[in-house]
Amino acid sequence: MRHPYRCLVGALFLLSGFVGGAAPAGEPAWTIYVTNDNCPDYTWGLTEEQTRQAFADIVKAHLDQMKRTDAERPENLDRYNAAVTQEVLCSLEKYPDRKDELIRRVKEGRLYVSPYLCNSLWGFQSLEGTIRTFYPARRLQRQWGFPMDCAHHIEEPSLPWGTATILAGCGIRNLTVPFLGYDSTFGGLTVPPVFEHEGPDGSRVRVCLDKFASQKASYTQGAHLLRKPELIDKEWIPHYAGLGPAYPFRSILAAGTHGDISPGSGSAARGFADSIIQYNAWPDAKARLVNATYPQFWQAIDRELAKPGTPALPVVRGCFGHSWDLWPVSLAKYAGEMRRCEQRYLAREALLAISGKAPPPSSQKIRTAPGAEWCWAMLSDHAWNGTDANNKRHNASLRRAWAKDLYMASAWAFGDWSAAGVKEETGDPDTKRAELPIVLFNSLSVPRSDTMYVWIPLVGPHPTLWDGKKQIPCQVLSDKQEDFLLFTAPELPGFA
């Protein structure tokens, strides 16, 4: 079950003493980067159509606020962070007339796009599944031309050790991880708010994993401060100043504003923008608020690290755990189907690749009809349960459909084998023996010999199996409907 505490923040109103006007003459010593985003659970509490419309509407609302604040000071310009690529795809789907505007804002750095397609259970995903989750965002990056060196993963209190290696290998330098401390041990963290996470292979990614901020307001830290700006002076600045050498920066991240996605999430966008403008106009403000993207926070860290005397970030090795990654056991059949199908899909893709043929066409599709790649990624989304019986059934039906589509895309056809030069044969007229060729393909890049369990129609009471002139021991196993041939395959070179 999900934790009953789920934040949804509406329009905000600051204390009556905060009024509009000119910006303060002196620059405060501290800068707080407030990052607008939502927690984009896919269909947790909503239908799929409601979710997709809500994603589109929240992006649309912030595009409106960007236009409204274009004449403001740089720190007051409205910005938005799409915590998953899905939000941008839904915006393009629902509001195609604003595509050019959306692309322009992405290029301007006003709209950040996370490389994660969905809120993945990143400890549940396979290595290949994790990398494929980035493909839709990479396609947008190549089409539109914007940097993608910053990842954002919202809510989930886990951080597998291999994440650093995967992200670094994909060109990602920075990762932000606000968390909801439910069903986890993250309350015992002792790491500083910002550090370098070194993967098992020595590659590194910089991480903002802030226990203080997350325990105060999980993934709505920005809304928490905008609702009670007095906490900036009373709690936040004293806390970070008190960390001393463990936090030598004067830049603070307050991650998140909207909370869980809902049909009305977009209506809060103007309130957040106005609250930041009003706070920055207060003459005695102890901090400057920036309506920010996540890359802006990391750019500030870069500037401070470049100052003489600033110590390097501490390096942390090891795994932070897999706190929510067993949730798919609630629908174990579809989780198992995902594992089986991704292996079949990759094997088929490898065969077509070495045969000089294009990968399955469905792998190039992003949404309509959902391609295998999209279904594969969405099966990793962490909303595997639901809020009530109807929502649980809805989530189960979606995952059943995604697993089925992935199965169909991973199914082998004789056309795949013929592309590799395999010819269909029915028998040997000289020996008058009924023969059935068995074709084995090693889809890995390394030599391999495995025990094979192959369905085969019996061609006699005592079948024999030959590899050229060498007989291979085999055994026939039968159930009520089919016969299976069990044997140990000869070693095959990689991709042979």
Side-chain angles (χ1 to χ4, degrees), residues 55-64 66-67 80 82 84-113 140-141 143-146:
F55 283 167
D57 287 344
I58 198 169
V59 173
K60 176 177 176 289
H62 277 282
L63 289 176
D64 292 341
M66 291 175 197
K67 184 183 299 183
Y80 183 66
V84 294
T85 316
Q86 193 76 264
E87 295 180 65
V88 174
L89 299 179
C90 291
S91 179
L92 295 174
E93 173 189 304
K94 302 294 184 181
Y95 300 109
D97 57 313
R98 303 191 73 165
K99 177 180 179 179
D100 291 343
E101 179 186 3
L102 185 150
I103 295 173
R104 176 167 57 86
R105 295 304 190 182
V106 171
K107 289 182 175 181
E108 290 174 353
R110 300 276 293 275
L111 201 166
Y112 158 79
V113 183
L140 296 181
Q141 179 198 22
Q143 292 171 21
W144 300 348
F146 60 92

Side-chain angles (χ1 to χ4, degrees), residues 322-343:
H322 310 273
S323 298
W324 295 0
D325 298 285
L326 285 179
W327 283 357
V329 77
S330 64
L331 294 171
K333 177 181 178 181
Y334 309 134
E337 194 73 359
M338 169 187 170
R339 289 278 190 255
R340 186 164 70 102
C341 289
E342 69 178 7
Q343 293 174 358

Side-chain angles (χ1 to χ4, degrees), residues 164-177:
T165 296
I166 295 171
L167 291 178
C170 292
I172 304 296
R173 297 180 57 240
N174 307 300
L175 170 66
T176 50
V177 190

